[in-house]
């Protein structure tokens, strides 16, 4: 992504491109991952443009808490998502491809071997 260019998630947040939206609050949007790695694979995305965990400012930790709160809410409301896995790739070397912070919410059958 070229510096200053909008990420794909910013375009989704702005409703400039479509996505399957699961939930939306003032701070977050939850969408279905386009290439699911589990039966249930959502992305919990802060609307604020934050590149990665390394870029967090003090105030962003409240937002991080809201992302966890959303994960709990999804687990309580989505059938089959009572137990789940959360993943944040923070940096290119560990597999981050979209440089707009997001938390993967994975539940049900996983389509990959355990990494941890
Ligand atoms: P990461 O590797 O952690 O940066 O994850 C990026 C995720 O975004 C991948 O799992 C992609 O499948 C997903 N993704 C990319 N483009 C879209 C899109 N337009 N709608 C939904 N998910 C997407």
């Amino acid at each position: 992504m070229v510096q200053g260019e909008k990420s794909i998630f910013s375009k989704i947040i702005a409703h400039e491109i479509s996505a399957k939206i699961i939930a939306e609050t003032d701070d977050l949007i939850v969408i279905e991952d386009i290439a699911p790695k589990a039966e249930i694979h959502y992305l919990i995305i802060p609307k604020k443009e934050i590149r990665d965990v390394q870029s967090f400012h003090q105030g962003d930790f409240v937002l991080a808490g809201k992302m966890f709160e959303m994960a709990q809410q999804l687990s309580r409301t989505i059938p089959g998502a009572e137990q789940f896995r959360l993943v944040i790739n923070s940096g290119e070397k560990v597999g981050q491809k979209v440089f707009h912070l997001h938390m993967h919410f994975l539940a049900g059958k996983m389509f990959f071997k355990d990494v941890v």
Side-chain angles (χ1 to χ4, degrees):
M1 197 173 80
V2 179
Q3 198 77 27
E5 199 178 293
K6 265 191 178 182
S7 76
I8 189 104
F9 294 162
S10 290
K11 289 178 186 166
I12 289 172
I13 289 160
H15 299 278
E16 287 170 12
I17 61 167
S18 66
K20 174 99 193 284
I21 298 171
I22 303 299
E24 189 166 2
T25 67
D26 286 347
D27 303 302
L28 305 173
I29 193 165
V30 182
I31 63 167
E32 246 177 31
D33 195 292
I34 206 167
K37 279 91 182 166
E39 275 175 330
I40 297 168
H41 186 174
Y42 300 152
L43 300 170
I44 302 173
I45 308 168
K47 289 184 175 175
K48 181 175 176 187
E49 287 181 16
I50 304 172
R51 181 183 170 86
D52 49 27
V53 176
Q54 293 90 320
S55 311
F56 272 32
H57 295 291
Q58 196 58 37
D60 295 329
F61 291 104
V62 174
L63 193 54
K66 289 182 182 179
M67 293 169 77
F68 277 96
E69 197 179 355
M70 177 59 80
Q72 186 192 59
Q73 219 166 297
L74 292 170
S75 81
R76 288 178 175 171
T77 53
I78 306 288
E82 296 80 11
Q83 297 184 31
F84 55 89
R85 182 180 293 199
L86 298 176
V87 175
I88 296 177
N89 293 319
S90 197
E92 196 172 0
K93 285 184 187 162
V94 297
Q96 185 175 5
K97 286 177 208 77
V98 179
F99 295 94
H100 180 134
L101 183 74
H102 53 282
M103 183 186 261
H104 296 259
F105 178 97
L106 303 140
K109 195 170 162 36
M110 304 287 151
F111 303 154
F112 58 90
K113 284 201 158 196
D114 283 352
V115 286
V116 284

